[in-house]
Amino acid sequence: MAKKILVIDDEPDMVTFLTTLLEDNGYETVVATDGDEGLSQLKAHKPDLVSLDLLMPNKTGIKMFRELRRDPDLADTPVVMVTGFGTDDTPNMDFKKWIHERSIKPPEAYIEKPVDKDALLTAIKKIIG
Amino acid sequence: MFKNAIHWFNKFTHSLSFKLSFYAGLIMFLAIIVFSYQSISTQENNLINKMIQESLKDSEVIKAAIWNGMMTKDREVIRQIVKAIGEQERFKEISVYDNKGDLHYSSRLIVSKNRIDPSVEPLMSDFKTDVKPRHRISKDGKSIIVVNPLVNTGSCSASGCHSSPEIEKTLGVLQVKLGLEGMNQELLRNTRQTVIFAVSLFLLISTASGLGVIWFINPKIRQLQEKAAKMARGEYDPRGKNGGSDEMAELIRSFDRMSLQINQRTMELDASRKLYKSLFDEVPCYLTVLDRNLRIVRANRAFVNEFGDQIGKNCFSAYKNRKEPCVNCPVAKTFEDGAVHQSEEVWRLHRRDCYVMVKTSPIFDDKGKVYEVLEMAVDVTLLKRLQFRLERKQYEFRRLFSTVPCYLTVVDRDFNIVTSNDLFDRDFGSSAGRKCFQAYKNSEHQCDNCPVAKTFNDGKTHYSEEIWRQNGEETYIVVYTAPIHDDDGNIISVMEMSTNITEVKRLQGELAILGETIAGMSHTIKNILSGLQGGVYVVDSGLTRGKEDKVRTGWAMVKNNVEKISDLVKGILYASKERAPEYREYSPSKLLSEVCDLYEVKAKSQGVNLVRSFDDKIKPCLIDPAGIHSAISNLVSNAIYACKNLNEEQSHTVTVSCRMDAQTLVVEVSDDGEGMPEEVRENLFKKFYSTKGSRGTGLGLVITRKVVHEHGGSIRVESKQGVGTTFVIEIPVNYEQAPPVLQEAS
């Protein structure tokens, strides 16, 4: 049975690209365009992995990620962060906060936009096979 | 030899011993001579008197004998008596004459003449009144004649012997002649002895006194001479012992004391002379002594070293290469009034100009007349140069102070402005009598955190950034304060330097916005790139799998993102490049309709109702349609975005209205969206400022304002959070020609 991946991104183009890429590689996809929708889809579909955009309207990826990690049912879901901000752009932003907040497990992988599709697929394969 | 002898003779006759002995002897000699003369004269008189007395006595005897003889009428007895007595040695002659002068008796052996000596005759005539005997000395001085009258007694006239009448007092005279040779010889002998005695005494006294001088005085005088000679040579030591108690010894001791004093005075004089000489030479200024012709008589070493040997030259030619005396010559003044004068002069040397302070003082002669003038000149060239440099520096400092492109004021402890520079005076008016807070801030109170007060407290430089209101606009000012000390190190005032950094602040803000925008833009570009990459992949995937819908979706993604890049680039170009507006007659309402048509679909897709409210009566006017289109498009796009961001059920409205207000075209774009907070309102028109994150360029309103300004118009915004925002553009249209292009102050 194909593994299910939840793609959360407010950019429709990004959603189309990621779902096409993942489906072409044998994954089943579910879509959400902001944090709130992401959480509800997460609860509804129990995906094997979440591809999460950082910057989104209403509920940002960071906020949603924290809620996910704090929710005992969802906390173990592997998360791949996909964002336009590179590590160079935000050297002291959220990564540091994640490191300081020991109770929260950091995302399993981190992919920068524009997405290198091989890197993304390799990371996903490494996490969920 | 002869000359030598004369020399020695002269020397001898002029010597003290000779003079003393000679004159002492001479005086003694003369005294003896005078005394002897007196004594011999007296002796001579005494002898003569004695002889006269004796002769009278003898004559009385003879008279008695004669009388007797006459009485007896014995003439022979008379003759014998006369002869006998006359034979005595001392008598030269005894004669008896009658009263007629005829000789009657004589002791002479030979009677040469019978008449009485005429020299005796006058004597006889006197007998008529006086019958006293008389005497006289013969003309040759060898004998004395005594005449004794023979008185006519009663018997003579009564008797009959002679019968001489009674009236005849005398009958005749008895003349006795005595020789004086013996007496004269004795006197001569006496005189000779006296002379011999006087000469001997003269010689004795002269010799004694001469020897006394030679023995007792000459050695002392020689001693004095030697001492004087030694003293003259400067070799004399007066501290030797001098015995003796006489006047000469005392004189020598006095001389020694005098020498000692002279020596001491001489030494003092010599020391002070040396001191003055050394002072004159070594004093570190130029000293010259000038005579009445302004010629240099003496000069000290410093002068000679610097000016060479100028003795004998005129001062004006030596110092200044002049041919005539200087005007206002201080030396001439001192010669004139005998007072000290001073002046500042420039001496022209061949090497350099020498600035000197000159002081002249008079040198008086014995009569109190100015004989020479001492000129003292101190070289102040270095000082003068320093003074010039200081003045130059002061001038430069003053220039710097006045022209430095910031406000400079010097403030005292009471915050009164003491000095201010030109820029300050220009922008804040005259500082006279104003306090710094009054002048700078129009305030009546000292500012909080006053850097001037801090500097007065701790003497350190302080710094503060302040915001002043100038002409209604906020001006950012950075103020530096620095202490100004007096000579004792006390802070007397504080310098306040204020620089207008509004422009810097603005650029700083723009730079920050630029930074953020570039970050945002790079994010946008990344997103666009992601979109493109995604589109390309989806197209590939569709083609590979033969799914046409995928191809379409992917292609739409590609097109969409290419358009996004195109918009971004166009916006950047429009905002940053100078674009010349192209004015033409165009209907504003038509233009606005075109804009609304463009956004109609977008608005509807986002649940926004786009309402048009145009005044149809507006005639076409001279505008740049492309520019206005772009400006209004940005406003409409922003308005729709403001509504779209609200995640609410209710629908929103964006109204675009247009009307003519007198000669002004008024365009309003209003929405009932979220409104803007204060911070956003302040930054609205700044380049690259955007609230749209990845979707905005931060250039839209910049372009809008630029276009409105190009049309000579204005733009303002009214916004309230939660209520909505209205942009109002007002463009004057009452012109026929193209408006002047007002450049935005970017």
Side-chain angles (χ1 to χ4, degrees):
Chain A
M1 190 184 160
K3 304 259 183 187
K4 197 187 281 176
I5 296 176
L6 171 61
V7 175
I8 311 172
D9 203 306
D10 63 323
E11 291 285 336
D13 287 351
M14 207 59 206
V15 174
T16 312
F17 167 53
L18 287 178
T19 48
T20 309
L21 176 69
L22 294 173
E23 282 167 7
D24 287 351
N25 286 280
Y27 296 106
E28 194 180 319
T29 60
V30 187
V31 173
T33 56
D34 63 30
D36 289 334
E37 192 187 350
L39 277 175
S40 57
Q41 290 283 58
L42 199 60
K43 285 170 189 163
H45 296 282
K46 303 273 181 198
D48 299 297
L49 184 138
V50 177
S51 159
L52 179 61
D53 183 21
L54 263 182
L55 286 179
M56 286 180 300
N58 301 331
K59 189 164 275 178
T60 65
I62 299 157
K63 222 170 177 181
M64 194 209 125
F65 173 72
R66 287 188 188 145
E67 283 179 25
L68 179 149
R69 280 289 193 246
R70 286 196 187 105
D71 189 329
D73 293 342
L74 309 173
D76 293 333
T77 317
V79 174
V80 176
M81 282 285 184
V82 179
T83 182
F85 289 113
T87 41
D88 292 341
D89 297 334
T90 55
N92 54 0
M93 231 173 92
D94 293 308
F95 267 128
K96 274 198 175 173
K97 281 183 185 169
W98 290 331
I99 289 163
H100 287 303
E101 287 185 44
R102 296 274 174 200
S103 57
I104 293 179
K105 202 171 90 181
E108 275 69 13
Y110 190 90
I111 300 293
E112 280 180 42
K113 287 181 185 175
V115 176
D116 178 345
K117 51 184 190 292
D118 293 332
L120 177 69
L121 290 172
T122 310
I124 291 171
K125 199 158 275 177
K126 203 174 167 187
I127 297 164
I128 56 172
Chain B
M1 181 71 187
F2 182 66
K3 276 186 179 174
N4 222 9
I6 287 177
H7 170 75
W8 279 110
F9 178 74
N10 282 338
K11 193 176 174 188
F12 174 69
T13 52
H14 284 94
S15 70
L16 177 67
S17 53
F18 172 79
K19 285 178 183 168
L20 190 66
S21 54
F22 179 79
Y23 288 113
L26 190 64
I27 287 165
M28 189 56 77
F29 177 78
L30 288 175
I32 288 172
I33 290 296
V34 169
F35 173 75
S36 300
Y37 176 76
Q38 288 290 328
S39 159
I40 286 169
S41 294
T42 310
Q43 195 181 7
E44 189 181 8
N45 286 335
N46 289 341
L47 280 173
I48 286 172
N49 286 335
K50 188 181 168 189
M51 281 174 75
I52 289 169
Q53 293 303 319
E54 279 179 4
S55 70
L56 280 175
K57 219 184 280 174
D58 287 340
S59 71
E60 287 298 322
V61 171
I62 293 168
K63 265 171 78 175
I66 290 169
W67 197 258
N68 209 28
M70 283 194 305
M71 291 300 274
T72 59
K73 298 195 189 202
D74 190 354
R75 293 190 179 227
E76 194 60 28
V77 172
I78 299 168
R79 201 169 285 128
Q80 285 298 322
I81 291 168
V82 168
K83 195 179 172 183
I85 296 171
E87 279 177 352
Q88 288 184 25
E89 257 184 55
R90 53 193 183 105
F91 298 115
K92 271 188 170 178
E93 186 187 341
I94 299 170
S95 299
V96 178
Y97 297 90
D98 61 20
N99 54 11
K100 290 180 185 71
D102 292 330
L103 178 69
H104 284 263
Y105 305 97
S106 178
S107 65
R108 279 181 294 179
L109 292 177
I110 302 159
V111 178
S112 55
K113 49 183 188 178
N114 295 322
R115 284 292 299 170
I116 196 164
D117 196 299
S119 63
V120 183
E121 242 179 54
L123 298 173
M124 287 181 63
S125 60
D126 292 339
F127 289 137
K128 289 173 183 174
T129 52
D130 185 5
V131 289
K132 278 200 292 191
R134 292 171 171 79
H135 71 275
R136 65 175 296 137
I137 290 166
S138 66
K139 285 181 181 173
D140 57 6
K142 286 180 178 174
S143 53
I144 184 167
I145 299 168
V146 177
V147 180
N148 205 351
L150 299 172
V151 181
N152 187 5
T153 58
S155 61
C156 287
S157 58
S159 70
C161 68
H162 289 295
S163 332
S164 301
E166 266 181 78
I167 52 165
E168 287 181 2
K169 281 194 172 176
T170 56
L171 299 174
V173 290
L174 175 67
Q175 178 187 287
V176 179
K177 199 172 184 180
L178 296 159
L180 289 174
E181 283 90 356
M183 188 193 76
N184 282 345
Q185 277 177 1
E186 194 183 341
L187 284 174
L188 189 67
R189 202 167 48 245
N190 284 350
T191 307
R192 198 181 298 140
Q193 281 172 354
T194 305
V195 168
I196 288 168
F197 174 71
V199 169
S200 307
L201 197 66
F202 164 73
L203 288 175
L204 186 71
I205 287 175
S206 295
T207 309
S209 57
L211 287 176
V213 168
I214 287 167
W215 282 333
F216 298 112
I217 298 177
N218 273 8
K220 304 282 183 184
I221 289 176
R222 263 200 300 282
Q223 209 177 336
L224 274 175
Q225 277 176 336
E226 280 169 15
K227 286 186 176 191
K230 275 187 175 178
M231 199 172 83
R233 289 199 301 273
E235 296 168 357
Y236 178 54
D237 180 6
R239 280 165 295 189
K241 285 191 175 175
N242 282 297
S245 56
D246 58 7
E247 287 80 357
M248 284 309 289
E250 189 56 40
L251 178 68
I252 288 176
R253 279 196 289 275
S254 297
F255 178 84
D256 283 353
R257 280 198 293 277
M258 183 188 77
S259 312
L260 255 177
Q261 286 178 351
I262 288 177
N263 257 9
Q264 203 173 333
R265 292 280 158 79
T266 308
M267 276 163 70
E268 283 171 12
L269 205 64
D270 197 45
S272 66
R273 194 183 59 80
K274 280 181 183 162
L275 177 69
Y276 281 114
K277 170 82 178 145
S278 136
L279 260 179
F280 184 78
D281 266 340
E282 304 301 335
V283 70
C285 66
Y286 307 130
L287 283 184
T288 47
V289 178
L290 301 164
D291 66 10
R292 278 201 172 268
N293 298 321
L294 302 180
R295 283 182 200 287
I296 300 172
V297 182
R298 285 186 294 283
N300 75 338
R301 196 175 298 156
F303 181 89
V304 174
N305 287 346
E306 191 61 41
F307 299 91
D309 183 15
Q310 303 281 359
I311 303 290
K313 290 189 185 168
N314 282 117
C315 54
F316 48 83
S317 72
Y319 310 152
K320 295 189 178 177
N321 279 328
R322 286 172 68 98
K323 291 199 171 111
E324 66 282 342
C326 319
V327 186
N328 271 334
C329 171
V331 179
K333 282 185 197 165
T334 298
F335 267 121
E336 202 171 297
D337 60 10
V340 171
H341 286 277
Q342 61 181 44
S343 69
E344 223 173 282
E345 308 275 339
V346 183
W347 289 359
R348 310 227 173 266
L349 307 185
H350 59 280
R351 280 175 290 173
R352 64 186 173 94
D353 279 359
C354 178
Y355 293 88
V356 287
M357 291 284 295
V358 174
K359 197 166 191 176
T360 55
S361 60
I363 301 172
F364 296 103
D365 63 7
D366 299 341
K367 293 168 192 161
K369 206 175 153 194
V370 181
Y371 169 63
E372 287 172 337
V373 166
L374 177 69
E375 186 171 21
M376 290 163 278
V378 181
D379 189 342
V380 291
T381 310
L382 199 64
L383 272 177
K384 205 75 187 166
R385 280 200 196 132
L386 284 176
Q387 190 187 334
F388 285 150
R389 217 175 288 168
L390 193 67
E391 280 169 7
R392 178 80 208 153
K393 286 281 164 208
Q394 275 177 340
Y395 171 74
E396 285 173 2
F397 169 74
R398 199 63 233 176
R399 285 276 304 158
L400 182 73
F401 187 83
S402 323
T403 57
V404 69
C406 60
Y407 306 125
L408 265 185
T409 46
V410 176
V411 180
D412 68 11
R413 280 193 179 273
D414 298 326
F415 302 102
N416 293 312
I417 297 175
V418 182
T419 317
S420 58
N421 71 339
D422 294 352
L423 193 68
F424 176 90
D425 293 346
R426 192 197 71 189
D427 287 357
F428 293 94
S430 169
S431 59
R434 292 161 78 194
K435 293 189 185 289
C436 57
F437 45 80
Q438 291 172 337
Y440 280 121
K441 294 193 176 170
N442 224 353
S443 155
E444 283 306 314
H445 307 285
Q446 184 192 334
C447 317
D448 300 333
N449 251 342
C450 170
V452 175
K454 284 186 194 166
T455 297
F456 268 123
N457 276 342
D458 62 10
K460 289 179 181 163
T461 296
H462 284 278
Y463 156 92
S464 76
E465 264 187 47
E466 303 188 356
I467 299 171
W468 300 350
R469 291 233 163 245
Q470 263 186 322
N471 306 324
E473 279 186 33
E474 280 185 347
T475 310
Y476 290 86
I477 299 288
V478 61
V479 180
Y480 281 93
T481 54
I484 296 174
H485 300 95
D486 64 6
D487 292 343
D488 300 327
N490 303 317
I491 302 170
I492 47 164
S493 48
V494 165
M495 185 167 74
E496 196 172 9
M497 189 178 84
S498 313
T499 312
N500 189 338
I501 54 159
T502 311
E503 187 63 15
V504 176
K505 275 276 171 198
R506 197 182 63 75
L507 288 173
Q508 201 178 21
E510 279 195 8
L511 210 63
I513 292 164
L514 183 67
E516 286 168 18
T517 311
I518 285 173
M521 270 167 57
S522 72
H523 183 66
T524 311
I525 290 169
K526 274 183 192 174
N527 277 341
I528 295 169
L529 270 178
S530 298
L532 276 175
Q533 191 189 28
V536 169
Y537 177 82
V538 174
V539 169
D540 262 355
S541 173
L543 287 174
T544 310
R545 291 176 171 75
K547 288 181 179 168
E548 199 182 330
D549 60 326
K550 282 269 177 196
V551 175
R552 282 184 203 284
T553 310
W555 190 240
M557 285 165 69
V558 170
K559 279 204 288 188
N560 188 25
N561 283 296
V562 166
E563 201 177 316
K564 273 188 191 170
I565 284 190
S566 173
D567 284 349
L568 181 70
V569 171
K570 265 195 262 176
I572 290 172
L573 285 176
Y574 204 98
S576 54
K577 258 183 155 183
E578 293 304 330
R579 172 188 160 278
E582 295 166 5
Y583 295 100
R584 57 192 167 101
E585 288 283 336
Y586 207 89
S587 164
S589 36
K590 188 182 170 201
L591 189 61
L592 292 182
S593 293
E594 286 168 13
V595 174
C596 291
D597 290 347
L598 198 63
Y599 282 94
E600 191 71 62
V601 179
K602 190 178 178 184
K604 216 165 257 174
S605 73
Q606 295 182 7
V608 175
N609 188 21
L610 192 60
V611 178
R612 307 171 195 214
S613 166
F614 305 147
D615 184 350
D616 295 337
K617 293 168 193 161
I618 297 175
K619 291 177 186 163
C621 49
L622 202 61
I623 50 171
D624 171 21
I628 297 291
H629 188 281
S630 176
I632 307 297
S633 298
N634 285 327
L635 294 183
V636 175
S637 165
N638 284 349
I640 294 168
Y641 183 82
C643 302
K644 175 206 166 187
N645 267 4
L646 300 174
N647 194 16
E648 287 170 12
E649 295 294 314
Q650 71 179 92
S651 68
H652 292 279
T653 307
V654 170
T655 312
V656 179
S657 69
C658 168
R659 65 178 194 275
M660 280 301 288
D661 190 354
Q663 297 293 311
T664 306
L665 172 70
V666 182
V667 180
E668 285 184 12
V669 178
S670 58
D671 64 69
D672 54 358
E674 59 189 346
M676 290 182 281
E678 178 71 22
E679 187 213 336
V680 177
R681 273 210 300 280
E682 282 175 4
N683 292 312
L684 266 185
F685 296 104
K686 288 182 179 172
K687 273 182 188 172
F688 304 111
Y689 182 83
S690 176
T691 55
K692 295 181 191 166
S694 62
R695 291 168 194 85
T697 57
L699 295 171
L701 281 175
V702 177
I703 292 165
T704 302
R705 190 174 63 162
K706 190 181 167 191
V707 170
V708 171
H709 283 178
E710 279 169 359
H711 284 76
S714 64
I715 181 167
R716 65 172 196 275
V717 61
E718 295 158 6
S719 179
K720 202 172 176 185
Q721 263 190 295
V723 176
T725 302
T726 303
F727 280 89
V728 182
I729 292 174
E730 292 176 332
I731 295 174
V733 290
N734 59 336
Y735 45 74
E736 291 172 356
Q737 292 180 328
V741 176
L742 299 175
Q743 294 299 335
E744 184 183 358
S746 58

